[in-house]
Amino acid sequence: MIRTLLFISLSFQLAAAAPRATDEILSRLQTHIETDTSIETLIESLDTLEGKEVEAILKEYDNTWPKLRDKYLSDYEAEAKSQYSGALKADHSRMISSYRSDFMRVRDMPEGPMKTEIPKVSQPAIDGLRKILMPTPAELLATSKPSLKKMRKMVLVLAKFRDALVEAAVLPDQEKANAKVLQSEKEIAATLGGIDRAGLRIMAKNDEIAAKREIPSGEREGIREVNEWRLLLGLNALTIDPKLCDASRDHSEDMNKNNFFAHESPIPGKTTPWDRAAKAGTKARGENIYMGSQKPEAANRGWFYSPGHHKNMFKGGHSTIGVGQYERHWTQMFG
């Protein structure tokens, strides 16, 4: 039914108004989905079309794509709800309380004992909370009907193709369809699991602020992961402060270019984290630094396993956050 909805709709709309090349592209897309084959060569063929032809496909595509995406997410949510009811809900509640208690017990230890307890207790607690509160689609769909699994697979292929259309048409402000589906799945699971909705709204607002201020994707991802951890633990989500990001990025660049790795900077006017925050027009109350990888997850894990940095990331009193990267240097600031 879903397949019919998409392709009959597109076929009738495009037959009368679109060039033959667009009909061929959509016909090939249908074949790839029905035969479960890669669409990479199809995506490459979009480069042979003129911009107006790609935009014509995208316009007609979007007459049906949102309905398909929303149908899948509605069915996905119904399946997720069925796994968070009755006796399972009570079991989840007990496990959440236990994991959070274990994590906070370690966080409040002196730094010496923390070193061995973080990998033994804190990491498993985060992993356990994630499985309950932010399960992956694969985990939620493991026992679902085959039809839902097939629908998801098709929707992700169609989302990937829409992203390719947007790229080929050179429309930079368009939302990424594939990323949106994946994020929606996570948010549905999170709300069902009991994660603070206000925190989820802060994270959504952070995405808007980051996009508007053109904060690099790696820095956004680093902030999002820390906020996810905090929400799993029942802590508040932190609001992104673009000025803290600027101060953090500037310090990372200074460390890289001036061959030092420290919270105290030799650069005049930037000696302390508080100086650097003030210079950027904001305030800070804590800072973490990392060197060794260009990946945000590596920086976060470096801080997670380091007792002092760990305590800093999971303080209850923070309200804002900024992250800044330059090459393999990272700075994380809290306000």
Side-chain angles (χ1 to χ4, degrees):
M1 173 191 167
I2 297 298
R3 195 174 295 159
T4 302
L5 171 66
L6 175 68
F7 291 107
I8 287 183
S9 173
L10 287 175
S11 295
F12 276 110
Q13 291 169 33
L14 288 171
R20 185 169 181 173
T22 59
D23 291 336
E24 181 185 349
I25 291 286
L26 292 169
S27 176
R28 288 171 59 191
L29 175 60
Q30 179 176 6
T31 299
H32 281 298
I33 289 179
E34 290 177 342
T35 58
D36 194 20
T37 54
S38 171
I39 63 170
E40 293 302 325
T41 56
L42 179 59
I43 288 174
E44 290 173 6
S45 71
L46 295 177
D47 292 335
T48 66
L49 301 179
E50 293 183 8
K52 62 182 181 180
E53 292 179 305
V54 180
E55 288 185 28
I57 298 175
L58 181 60
K59 182 178 179 180
E60 299 302 337
Y61 198 83
D62 280 352
N63 286 330
T64 304
W65 158 249
K67 301 172 189 174
L68 206 59
R69 176 198 61 208
D70 294 347
K71 166 63 177 168
Y72 162 67
L73 290 174
S74 175
D75 289 357
Y76 170 86
E77 183 172 13
E79 174 60 31
K81 282 181 176 178
S82 73
Q83 297 185 29
Y84 280 82
S85 58
L88 283 175
K89 186 173 183 179
D91 287 343
H92 287 164
S93 235
R94 286 191 292 270
M95 293 172 70
I96 289 167
S97 178
S98 177
Y99 283 135
R100 287 177 172 173
S101 176
D102 288 344
F103 188 98
M104 296 306 174
R105 174 177 55 80
V106 173
R107 184 202 64 177
D108 294 337
M109 287 179 173
E111 291 187 20
M114 275 182 73
K115 188 75 175 177
T116 56
E117 291 301 296
I118 288 174
K120 289 197 306 186
V121 177
S122 306
Q123 185 64 66
I126 285 287
D127 292 341
L129 287 166
R130 186 202 60 74
K131 286 182 179 179
I132 296 171
L133 296 172
M134 286 184 171
T136 65
E139 290 165 345
L140 274 175
L141 295 169
T143 57
S144 69
K145 296 177 181 178
S147 59
L148 184 59
K149 296 176 186 176
K150 288 180 181 179
M151 188 189 304
R152 179 179 190 264
K153 188 172 185 178
M154 184 181 68
V155 163
L156 290 179
V157 170
L158 293 171
K160 182 178 180 179
F161 186 70
R162 188 189 187 280
D163 287 341
L165 288 171
V166 168
E167 184 175 348
V170 194
L171 301 171
D173 294 333
Q174 289 278 321
E175 184 177 64
K176 295 290 186 181
N178 192 71
K180 178 63 176 178
V181 171
L182 297 178
Q183 186 56 35
S184 295
E185 289 176 333
K186 289 180 71 173
E187 290 171 358
I188 286 169
T191 55
L192 291 172
I195 283 182
D196 178 49
R197 289 176 181 257
L200 292 174
R201 286 193 291 271
I202 287 173
M203 289 178 65
K205 184 65 176 177
N206 283 351
D207 289 340
E208 294 177 14
I209 295 170
K212 185 175 181 180
R213 294 294 296 269
E214 298 184 343
I215 292 172
S217 61
E219 296 173 8
R220 301 185 203 187
E221 291 166 13
I223 290 169
R224 173 170 281 279
E225 183 174 48
V226 170
N227 269 334
E228 285 183 354
W229 286 343
R230 289 178 65 92
L231 289 179
L232 288 174
L233 293 164
L235 298 172
N236 61 305
L238 305 176
T239 300
I240 191 170
D241 181 347
K243 293 179 180 179
L244 278 181
C245 289
D246 293 341
S248 297
R249 194 180 309 113
D250 187 58
H251 187 54
S252 294
E253 182 174 358
D254 284 345
M255 288 191 290
N256 177 273
K257 291 184 174 179
N258 294 279
N259 297 314
F260 74 96
F261 181 70
H263 294 289
E264 186 168 318
S265 172
I267 310 299
K270 303 180 184 179
T271 304
T272 68
W274 334 126
D275 295 332
R276 296 189 286 275
K279 188 175 179 65
T282 187
K283 294 181 180 180
R285 53 181 294 164
E287 180 184 80
N288 289 334
I289 56 176
Y290 170 88
M291 178 179 66
S293 172
Q294 294 189 13
K295 297 180 178 180
E297 60 268 25
N300 278 343
R301 273 150 189 74
W303 293 322
F304 187 95
Y305 283 101
S306 173
H309 301 92
H310 182 104
K311 286 180 180 289
N312 217 3
M313 282 203 298
F314 298 110
K315 275 184 182 174
H318 296 323
S319 61
T320 60
I321 185 172
V323 169
Q325 175 199 9
Y326 188 85
E327 300 292 344
R328 298 187 305 119
H329 286 76
W330 292 81
T331 303
Q332 180 186 63
M333 300 183 80
F334 301 98

